[in-house]
Amino acid sequence: MTTPCIISVAITGSVPQKKDNPAVPISTAEQVESTQQAFEAGATLVHLHVRNEDGTTSADPERFARSLEGIRKHCPGMITQVSTGGRSGTGHERGAMLSLRPDMASLASGSCNFPTRVYENSPDLVDWLAAEMLKYDVKPEIEAFDLSMIFQAVKMAQDGRLKTPLHVQFVMGVKNAMPVDRESFEFYARTLQRLAPDATWTGAGIASGQLKLAHWSLELGGHCRTGLEDNIRLTKDQLAPSNAALVEQVVGLCGNYGRHPASVAEARQLLSLPAAP
Ligand code: ZN
């Protein structure tokens, strides 16, 4: 028997990159179609940013609502996760879509440097976003850009500010933040296991780190994130033709590590989410 791996697909980042890869889905119709292809390829969780028609960053709850509606209709049971990341807006704008009650939302539990700016998540804002997630019964995915963010999430869970069991994503490879580093990655996994034994985790690598972290996560019992938000290449020389192609790449690795892509039912059970309606 192999063990399930939840494959998350981050279909569209918040930073305009359409000029780099036309496969990045921007319009609602493109987002729904790309998610459906990724779902059919084996992804069971979609991580969602939305854009304006001209490709620029948006935090408009109505755009989130349209994409969520299409995804729910065309990808039955797929876990929906919205981004509350800092590029999509500022302050409380970043949580304006939580009232749409997606299954999950991303939550960075601290601040760090990004390629050209500070990724600012003040304690007040983190607490407010966490409270909104409790209010609307949205499970957080903690985005851990460094070790302190794992400790902070555990503390927040112990204080009742976050629902348990925790789900944490280890993000590596963002320029000026934590690089892709095997020993640190293993230490993250061990530390989370020690502090919150019932927690689950996903590895998310940026650019060429994407595939590397997929291998490591499959090996160490975690889950995998892929998608055009983090990486636009399938190989060193080839732009990824679609989100589905990136998902297929991870699906193809699962067997090497005694894993299989989680079904919707398995993914929901692993994350302690309600069964699909
Ligand atoms: Zn994102």
Side-chain angles (χ1 to χ4, degrees), residues 70-196:
I71 289 166
R72 283 168 177 151
K73 183 168 157 204
H74 292 280
C75 311
M78 190 177 202
I79 297 165
T80 53
Q81 180 190 94
V82 298
S83 171
T84 66
R87 285 175 169 130
S88 324
T90 52
H92 289 195
E93 253 176 35
R94 287 172 46 180
M97 81 305 270
L98 293 170
S99 61
L100 300 169
R101 296 180 182 271
D103 295 298
M104 301 181 75
S106 61
L107 178 68
S109 49
S111 303
C112 64
N113 277 351
F114 265 13
T116 57
R117 63 186 189 89
V118 177
Y119 184 31
E120 195 178 321
N121 298 291
S122 70
D124 278 354
L125 180 62
V126 174
D127 277 344
W128 180 80
L129 286 167
E132 290 289 290
M133 290 182 200
L134 282 178
K135 179 163 134 194
Y136 294 113
D137 198 23
V138 176
K139 177 164 176 144
E141 174 178 85
I142 302 301
E143 306 302 333
F145 290 88
D146 74 26
L147 186 60
S148 71
M149 298 188 197
I150 297 172
F151 277 84
Q152 180 63 12
V154 170
K155 172 101 177 61
M156 290 177 73
Q158 286 167 349
D159 295 347
R161 286 178 282 163
L162 293 176
K163 212 159 87 164
T164 55
L166 285 176
H167 180 68
V168 180
Q169 180 155 269
F170 307 146
V171 188
M172 289 185 157
V174 176
K175 189 181 171 193
N176 299 328
M178 192 65 202
V180 175
D181 181 73
R182 171 74 187 212
E183 285 199 27
S184 306
F185 187 78
E186 288 184 20
F187 190 74
Y188 278 7
R190 276 207 311 277
T191 301
L192 182 65
Q193 167 75 28
R194 172 169 64 85
L195 300 175

Side-chain angles (χ1 to χ4, degrees), residues 10 12-13 47 49 83 225 229:
T12 308
H47 171 84
H49 295 256
S83 171
R225 163 159 145 167
E229 172 175 348

